[in-house]
Amino acid sequence: FHHLSSGINAEYGGLSSQEPGCSATACADATTCANCTTADCNTKPAVAKFNCSTYAFNETSKDFDAGDVATCWKAEGDHGACKTPGDEAGADHAALFVDTATCGGCTDADVTAKTCVTVSSARAAGVALVLPLLAFLLHAFF
């Protein structure tokens, strides 16, 4: 009996380095590969890039400022989700909104605590583009 294995789309980080293959042993690390039982399952999954805005906590304003855009990965055809700071988010929640941590949806606990809001990746990318433009326009006309 042989085990088929394939790389996986690691949690919003893109494809793992596991090459599709067949071996006598099962895939040992579920974070890098997946075991499969059908003849066509040992192919690389199709993934697509999407962007999420990052946010940094501003100690002066006690609010979050939009930062750079993080590149995230999702299964092709799936909806991309991004985390944004909720009304109750503070400095102790800042790690949720940096780099690729902002990729994906909020946990139920963070939503309930109002520290995190899940938004569509289409909206999150638009915010990252619109905020600098808005800041420029406000500065230019006022």
Side-chain angles (χ1 to χ4, degrees):
F1 180 73
H2 288 286
H3 297 272
L4 299 173
S5 63
S6 174
I8 61 168
N9 182 21
E11 187 71 19
Y12 299 105
L15 286 178
S16 65
S17 61
Q18 173 72 36
E19 289 295 321
C22 180
S23 69
T25 59
C27 176
D29 185 355
T31 63
T32 60
C33 66
N35 292 311
C36 44
T37 56
T38 60
D40 63 346
C41 72
N42 66 335
T43 58
K44 286 187 178 184
V47 295
K49 284 184 186 182
F50 69 99
N51 294 322
C52 290
S53 296
T54 62
Y55 299 87
F57 188 75
N58 182 319
E59 288 292 339
T60 304
S61 68
K62 302 296 183 203
D63 204 357
F64 284 85
D65 296 330
D68 295 331
V69 173
T71 300
C72 310
W73 296 89
K74 62 183 176 117
E76 196 169 88
D78 281 1
H79 176 73
C82 303
K83 296 177 189 79
T84 60
D87 291 339
E88 301 297 321
D92 51 337
H93 304 103
L96 291 172
F97 313 110
V98 297
D99 301 322
T100 56
T102 193
C103 304
C106 304
T107 66
D108 290 342
D110 287 332
V111 170
T112 300
K114 298 183 181 179
T115 58
C116 186
V117 176
T118 301
V119 297
S120 163
S121 61
R123 176 177 178 249
V127 168
L129 297 173
V130 170
L131 285 178
L133 176 61
L134 182 60
F136 170 77
L137 291 173
L138 287 173
H139 179 72
F141 294 105
F142 294 101

